Amino acid sequence: MRKKNNSINFIFGSILTSFMLGLILLGFFWTPFDSEAMQADLMLKAPSLLHLFGTDQFGRDVLSRVLVGGGNTLIVASGTVLIGGTVGILLGGMTGYFGGWLDEGFMRVNDALAAFPSVLIALLIISVSGSGRLEMILALGIAFIPSFVRVVRGEFMRLREADYVVSAKLIKVPTLRILFVHMLPNIRPVLLSALTIGFNNAILAEAGMSYLGIGVQPPDASLGKMLSEAQTFLASGPWCAIFPGVFLVLLILGVSILGEGIMDQFGGGR
């Protein structure tokens, strides 16, 4: 029964995530209308066959803006995980494997950064570097490093006394090979879980910061900014908030279920 549930998670998560990513990728190449085209005579039109998600307060097609905004969210989340995950794996792997003064020094800095919410760190960085998509990727990437370091360090500390690692040291296998060929593949379930959680947290952070007006800046569309702008028109144009919100929820839900399914597939035997 457990195995069947794991399979269902993986299949359903794969289908939902693939569908959402397919829509986002479609938005990179095609949208029904220009996402920035304003038409005064189409302000706050309800969903119809022409405008499936309706139009916003400026007469812009909501579906087109959701697709473009989803693309910006995907870019920011992917860039965040790439930076935070890469640096976190390198630092966490080295400190967990070597220990000693290297571990002590890095972890003091890491614990100091981890004491602050990652979004707050990102806000501080953006306040210095300015707002925008690239700045947000860099800020969130740096802010997410401590969480990846803690996860990877703990796993490498657990594995460094394993028989196959000790044997590899005895026969003088190069350290980098031990770290990334022998040890890293054995933390896949935990790492996949951390990457999935990090990706979803990055999506939420991007949406939240754009909602506050310090994330992706106009004329680029953002799901968070769309939700913020839609507050004023909840009574006259609820679709302006419903469709971006549902899109965001489905994207996060798909990735979460897929991550759980992948972890179960790989990690049953940890």
Side-chain angles (χ1 to χ4, degrees):
M1 188 68 177
R2 166 84 175 162
K3 185 175 182 181
K4 184 178 179 181
N5 290 336
N6 294 345
S7 179
I8 291 174
N9 284 339
F10 182 77
I11 294 171
F12 180 71
S14 297
I15 293 172
L16 181 55
T17 302
S18 297
F19 176 71
M20 298 306 296
L21 291 180
L23 290 177
I24 291 174
L25 293 175
L26 177 65
F28 284 115
F29 305 101
W30 174 86
T31 54
F33 298 90
D34 183 349
S35 63
E36 298 302 327
M38 301 182 186
Q39 300 184 66
D41 58 326
L42 294 178
M43 292 171 56
L44 295 175
K45 293 293 184 182
S48 64
L49 291 177
L50 183 60
H51 298 279
L52 295 180
F53 286 6
T55 61
D56 66 7
Q57 69 274 21
F58 296 112
R60 298 174 297 191
D61 182 62
V62 174
L63 173 57
S64 299
R65 292 184 61 75
V66 166
L67 293 177
V68 174
N72 283 324
T73 296
L74 179 64
I75 291 172
V76 171
S78 300
T80 297
V81 171
L82 180 63
I83 294 173
T86 301
V87 178
I89 290 170
L90 290 172
L91 293 180
M94 287 191 298
T95 55
Y97 179 77
F98 291 108
W101 64 268
L102 181 67
D103 179 49
E104 184 72 18
F106 269 119
M107 291 313 297
R108 284 185 182 276
V109 175
N110 193 75
D111 290 342
L113 291 174
F116 298 92
S118 56
V119 174
L120 178 58
I121 297 175
L123 288 173
L124 292 174
I125 296 173
I126 287 177
S127 67
V128 175
S129 63
S131 57
R133 188 169 66 183
L134 184 60
E135 290 80 5
M136 181 182 289
I137 291 173
L138 181 61
L140 288 175
I142 294 173
F144 277 40
I145 289 173
S147 60
F148 286 106
V149 170
R150 287 197 305 272
V151 170
V152 176
R153 172 182 175 266
E155 290 300 300
F156 271 67
M157 289 181 69
R158 180 178 65 85
L159 292 176
R160 69 186 180 188
E161 302 301 329
D163 291 342
Y164 67 90
V165 175
V166 175
S167 298
K169 291 179 183 178
L170 290 175
I171 62 175
K172 306 298 183 182
V173 174
T175 300
L176 290 179
R177 183 174 178 82
I178 294 176
L179 289 173
F180 299 109
V181 176
H182 296 282
M183 297 179 72
L184 187 60
N186 285 287
I187 69 168
R188 278 182 302 177
V190 174
L191 188 57
L192 285 170
S193 177
L195 291 172
T196 301
I197 294 171
F199 187 82
N200 280 345
N201 286 342
I203 292 175
L204 288 171
E206 186 278 329
M209 294 172 72
S210 294
Y211 181 90
L212 295 174
I214 53 177
V216 175
Q217 296 297 305
D220 292 329
S222 165
L223 298 176
K225 188 65 175 176
M226 292 176 69
L227 290 172
S228 176
E229 293 174 345
Q231 284 185 113
T232 311
F233 309 98
L234 286 177
S236 55
W239 52 86
C240 294
I242 291 173
F243 290 112
V246 169
F247 192 92
L248 196 60
V249 169
L250 289 178
L251 178 59
I252 293 172
L253 180 64
V255 175
S256 296
I257 297 175
L258 177 60
E260 183 177 343
I262 290 175
M263 197 172 102
D264 289 335
Q265 294 284 330
F266 277 113
R270 181 188 161 182

